[in-house]
Amino acid sequence: MRNITKILTLALATCVLAACEKEEHVNGGTVNVKGAYVLNEGNMGPNNASISVLDIDSAKIDNEWFKNANNSRMLGDQAQDMVLYGSRLYVTVTESNTLEAIDTATGHSTQVSMGSLKPRSIATHGGKLYISCYNPPCVVRVDTTTLAIEDTCFLGSYRPEGIAIAQGKAFIASSYLASNIYSYDDKVYVVGLDSFKVATTVTVVCNPTPVVQLDNNTIAVGCIGNYGSIAANTVLINATTLGTTTVGIGSTKMAVYNGKLYSYSAPYGGTPSYAIISADGSVSDFPFQPSIGGNPYAIGVNPSNGDIYLANDGNYRVPGDLYCFRPDGTQRFKVEAGRLPSKIIFITD
């Protein structure tokens, strides 16, 4: 497995030469994908979160990449989010209250304590990280050079989840009360990046959780519902006017490809469903019905060729499997990842 790390380190050399922090563009031009990072969330308590590195050409995966690069140190307890920005991977580890800043060339990580904030989701802009946090409900701005918290924007009483940035604003899902996990909000906070204060809120649907930037002017919000009388849904927000479009189907996780959302809805105790959502709110069928041996837990689309990647949850007891399908649904390969593989980031040159 160590050979995989060497191969991908060479593939990342171009990224390292351009080591300055720079903005990632949505679907920006032709890309050449060498591999993928897979964030394995891990179970709560056992400290078994991890990062895997996948070599797409050979269909081999190194599930010990982070551990081997950091003197056998584990990633921590419940890794929540991961972004690739400049020459680093940034990972929030909620129950460990840490932020990891990982050099992609070596895998070596600088661990930053987040106190008792319980960091959740990350967005990037202008050389800064914007991280939603549970305790207290807030968004912090972190400088990628110093890795220090520069400013804090306090939110309301509900715990924030997903965050995305467009048109100079951060959009943060307001999900549920810490004191009552069955009390859900239906708002998205809008925070101006210049003032770093809450400008307003946008009403969506009950229990908003994942938030992604669909295009330069569209934010997509997956609303989980209340697991009963209020069904899951997806809401698109115009980042300029703050107008909304309710799609009519749920999105538990979403990936952006060619200006469209590839999403799945995995209702508790129900059957997963898959769909493609356009920026105007129209819905089209997924190109095939995936069979992944369990409930989906992550989705990604290879920006170079449209291959669709899906990971299952391993029934929360064993490592999850990562599947790669061609756009017509033909399975290219399946590999075993870590515990609860939750996010896929493609490595490009």
Side-chain angles (χ1 to χ4, degrees):
M1 288 300 184
R2 292 176 187 268
N3 289 333
I4 298 172
T5 304
K6 293 177 182 178
I7 291 169
L8 289 170
T9 297
L10 292 174
L12 286 164
T14 303
C15 296
V16 176
L17 290 174
C20 60
E21 303 295 347
K22 58 186 179 181
E23 201 66 18
E24 294 177 357
H25 297 283
V26 178
N27 298 322
T30 301
V31 293
N32 183 26
V33 171
K34 297 292 186 182
Y37 298 107
V38 180
L39 181 65
N40 303 294
E41 179 182 304
N43 303 102
M44 184 178 287
N47 188 39
N48 59 3
S50 63
I51 299 173
S52 304
V53 174
L54 172 70
D55 184 322
I56 287 175
D57 290 338
S58 66
K60 292 183 179 179
I61 193 167
D62 181 358
N63 290 322
E64 301 293 327
W65 180 74
F66 180 90
K67 180 180 178 181
N68 288 338
N70 291 279
N71 298 316
S72 297
R73 178 168 73 83
M74 301 298 290
L75 183 60
D77 188 355
Q78 284 216 306
Q80 176 62 25
D81 199 9
M82 174 174 68
V83 298
L84 176 59
Y85 195 49
S87 61
R88 286 174 170 172
L89 278 174
Y90 297 94
V91 179
T92 51
V93 190
T94 301
E95 295 305 313
S96 295
N97 274 303
T98 53
L99 170 69
E100 299 281 351
I102 305 166
D103 184 334
T104 55
T106 64
H108 296 165
S109 183
T110 300
Q111 186 183 75
V112 180
S113 172
M114 298 290 284
S116 61
L117 286 172
K118 290 191 178 294
R120 298 295 287 175
S121 299
I122 315 172
T124 60
H125 182 79
K128 312 293 182 183
L129 307 179
Y130 293 84
I131 303 174
S132 63
C133 301
Y134 271 177
N135 186 36
C138 66
V139 176
V140 297
R141 180 164 59 204
V142 175
D143 181 80
T144 55
T145 301
T146 64
L147 298 179
I149 294 176
E150 291 186 335
D151 205 349
T152 301
C153 175
F154 294 100
L155 306 175
S157 302
Y158 290 83
R159 284 183 158 178
E161 288 287 1
I163 180 172
I165 291 173
Q167 299 296 331
K169 309 177 188 81
F171 295 80
I172 308 105
S174 179
S175 188
Y176 68 94
L177 282 176
S179 59
N180 180 1
I181 63 172
Y182 301 106
S183 179
Y184 306 110
D185 202 5
D186 61 356
K187 303 290 191 302
V188 169
Y189 286 99
V190 182
V191 173
L193 298 188
D194 289 339
S195 66
F196 208 48
K197 298 182 183 300
V198 175
T200 187
T201 60
V202 177
T203 300
V204 286
V205 177
C206 173
N207 197 6
T209 304
V211 180
V212 302
Q213 180 190 5
L214 175 52
D215 59 33
N216 290 332
N217 199 49
T218 308
I219 298 293
V221 183
C223 303
I224 307 302
N226 67 353
Y227 308 97
S229 59
I230 302 175
N233 217 317
T234 306
V235 177
L236 306 180
I237 301 174
N238 183 304
T240 301
T241 67
L242 303 186
T244 61
T245 300
T246 302
V247 175
I249 61 169
S251 293
T252 304
K253 293 276 183 77
M254 301 171 279
V256 177
Y257 176 67
N258 276 353
K260 295 184 178 181
L261 286 174
Y262 285 63
S263 78
Y264 69 80
S265 179
Y268 180 76
T271 302
S273 59
Y274 301 81
I276 299 175
I277 302 170
S278 298
D280 63 1
S282 60
V283 178
S284 55
D285 292 335
F286 214 70
F288 59 95
Q289 183 59 39
S291 176
I292 59 170
N295 291 316
Y297 211 72
I299 185 170
V301 184
N302 185 328
S304 67
N305 61 12
D307 282 355
I308 297 169
Y309 288 69
L310 290 163
N312 66 29
D313 62 9
N315 202 25
Y316 287 78
R317 292 196 296 269
V318 298
D321 292 320
L322 176 66
Y323 291 76
C324 172
F325 299 95
R326 293 187 174 90
D328 65 1
T330 304
Q331 182 178 312
R332 282 193 60 205
F333 58 79
K334 178 186 80 169
V335 293
E336 182 180 275
R339 293 293 183 103
L340 296 172
S342 58
K343 188 160 187 176
I344 304 158
I345 294 179
F346 294 94
I347 303 169
T348 62
D349 62 10

